[in-house]
Amino acid sequence: MKISHRWRIALLTSCASGVIFAALLGSAMLLLVRREYSAAHGALGGPLDSAIAELEHGETFSELGTFSALPQNSTLAIFSEKQLPLYRTDAAAIGPWIGAGEQAAGGRNYVFRSRRSGKLLVVVATDWTNARAGLLRVGVILAALWLPLTLIVGLTAYLAAGLMFRPLVNLATQARVLAKEHRVGRLEDPNDADFSPLAQDLNALLSRLQAEIERQEQLVSDVAHDLRTPLTVIRGRLETALLTAKKDGYRAAMELAIQEAERLTDMTNAILEGEATEEEPAILELSKPLTDAADRWRPLFERAGIKLTVEAGSVAARIGSPEWQMLLDNLLENALTHSRADGACTVQLIASQAARLEIADTGPGVPEGDRERIFERFVRLDESRTHAGHGLGLYLCRRLVRARGGRIWVEANGTAGARFIVELPIAAVNA
């Protein structure tokens, strides 16, 4: 689960403030308890010293009954050497406690101090029950304040982070709009000291992208237009020569040349228009054009030392013959380009739920992160840039296949190589 930077800031701030508030509130509570305890404990020192002094001057227990130096809610008790009670100023359940500290007796809590006077033990204690309960209530209140204070700080940090990242969110929103509209524009400068440089850098990048796209589109348009004229001339000359050709070998060569010129013309139109060449093509039986294409390419594969194997089952789809030829030529050329010299290329055409064409090579393969990107316009992987081309072949293949209701993708061919798969809706030949 991904967490935004805004939430991270809020959570980190909440955690830090929670720790700080816990330390501060805990320290405040501890200081308050110590102060109250020290005050109660210190108030007993004077009465204890006075009582012992009077006993040492020969005062009797009855005369101690008028002792007036005890704090409110305090008790004086005297115990024998065997810790038997000899005297107490009231009925509080004071015991023969030795030293100083806190004790519970009779359901009450007492802070006490004691000291011996001869064989007698003098104990002075203050009822600490109400003060202890009050401190406990204060502790509960401080503990209850911890969560709201932490949440308030976290909410403040969340809102502040939202304000801080608002210029960046606006830039991202503008970028999404440009992507949705399939155009390259400029991002609005947020006039922010932190994000204005980012917007300027992005605008510079977008400007370079726009210039590159325009250059590439112009290149494609120029190439396509430049190809049309010589192809038309070649076809016209070949047709004229065919009318006067007498030998069968010459006629066959010229007929083949005319077919190739027509195929190149269709490919040029596809590049120029960027669309399928026919809106509703007739149903085409795919196996025969596939074997014909393989026969055309086989000498090139053999010359490169690559074994070409074709298995073509009978299956039909609604796709134009020039489109099918262009699709086959692009994929076969791709396999020839990237297969190693002693490798192999396997072509299969089978009928399952769709007309399925598989062309597998033994090249370096396509990294998983690039298997979608290679079908984009003008995209060529780094390792392929030593080969001729402009990165249009696979782009045209995907555009054509999608126009015919199919899909094309690439996957790994075992441990080495790539497998390009095309699926087209099956059509009945007699439909």
Side-chain angles (χ1 to χ4, degrees), residues 129-422:
T129 305
N130 294 335
R132 184 185 182 89
L135 290 173
L136 180 61
R137 286 193 294 271
V138 172
V140 171
I141 292 173
L142 292 179
L145 287 174
W146 176 83
L147 182 60
L149 289 174
T150 303
L151 292 178
I152 289 172
V153 172
L155 178 61
T156 303
Y158 180 80
L159 296 176
L163 293 175
M164 181 176 66
F165 286 116
R166 181 173 293 175
L168 186 60
V169 173
N170 291 337
L171 290 176
T173 302
Q174 295 176 55
R176 282 195 297 271
V177 171
L178 293 177
K180 186 176 180 180
E181 295 177 355
H182 300 285
R183 62 186 178 88
V184 178
R186 291 186 61 82
L187 303 177
E188 182 180 352
D189 192 330
N191 294 321
D192 181 90
D194 294 315
F195 294 109
S196 287
L198 174 62
Q200 293 168 7
D201 292 341
L202 290 175
N203 283 330
L205 176 61
L206 290 173
S207 297
R208 289 195 296 270
L209 288 175
Q210 179 66 35
E212 182 65 16
I213 290 173
E214 291 175 355
R215 187 190 69 79
Q216 292 178 341
E217 289 179 346
Q218 186 63 43
L219 171 65
V220 173
S221 179
D222 292 344
V223 170
H225 280 101
D226 291 343
L227 284 174
R228 272 184 168 177
T229 300
L231 285 173
T232 302
V233 173
I234 291 172
R235 182 178 175 183
R237 291 294 180 89
L238 288 172
E239 287 177 346
T240 301
L242 183 61
L243 294 175
T244 60
K246 297 181 179 180
K247 293 184 179 181
D248 293 338
Y250 290 157
R251 294 184 62 85
M254 284 186 283
E255 288 174 353
L256 178 60
I258 290 174
Q259 292 175 4
E260 291 300 304
E262 290 177 348
R263 187 172 63 86
L264 286 174
T265 301
D266 292 334
M267 290 177 62
T268 302
N269 290 333
I271 294 174
L272 183 61
E273 298 170 7
E275 301 288 346
T277 55
E278 299 177 59
E279 289 298 326
E280 293 184 0
I283 295 174
L284 177 68
E285 205 287 322
L286 304 179
S287 59
K288 180 63 167 60
L290 173 58
T291 56
D292 291 344
D295 290 340
R296 289 198 315 272
W297 283 92
R298 196 179 305 278
L300 297 176
F301 275 86
E302 291 176 351
R303 189 180 307 164
I306 302 170
K307 182 179 179 182
L308 177 62
T309 304
V310 179
E311 298 178 9
S314 180
V315 59
R318 191 175 292 277
I319 185 171
S321 178
E323 297 171 355
W324 182 239
Q325 291 290 346
M326 184 184 73
L327 183 66
L328 293 172
D329 287 339
N330 273 310
L331 294 178
L332 287 170
E333 181 184 14
N334 185 76
L336 174 63
T337 300
H338 297 290
S339 290
R340 63 175 185 265
D342 59 344
C345 175
T346 303
V347 181
Q348 288 184 311
L349 177 64
I350 58 176
S352 55
Q353 296 181 348
R356 183 182 176 97
L357 171 69
E358 296 185 6
I359 299 182
D361 61 53
T362 53
V366 181
E368 187 172 355
D370 294 320
R371 291 178 186 172
E372 280 296 317
R373 196 169 66 89
I374 60 172
F375 291 101
E376 297 176 5
R377 199 174 191 180
F378 303 115
V379 170
R380 301 173 65 220
L381 301 186
D382 290 340
E383 61 267 19
S384 71
R385 291 183 180 176
T386 56
H387 304 290
H390 297 285
L392 284 169
L394 294 177
Y395 162 77
L396 293 173
C397 288
R398 169 163 282 188
R399 193 179 185 100
L400 186 154
V401 170
R402 285 180 172 176
R404 297 303 170 224
R407 63 192 187 112
I408 179 174
W409 71 96
V410 62
E411 59 188 34
N413 180 32
T415 58
R419 182 186 304 274
F420 285 83
I421 302 173
V422 178

Side-chain angles (χ1 to χ4, degrees), residues 44 70-77 87-94 110 113 123-127:
L44 299 177
L70 286 174
Q72 186 178 6
N73 297 325
S74 298
T75 300
L76 173 67
Y87 174 81
R88 67 179 69 237
T89 57
D90 57 33
I94 303 300
Y110 296 91
R113 295 182 70 172
V123 181
V124 181
T126 295
D127 191 333

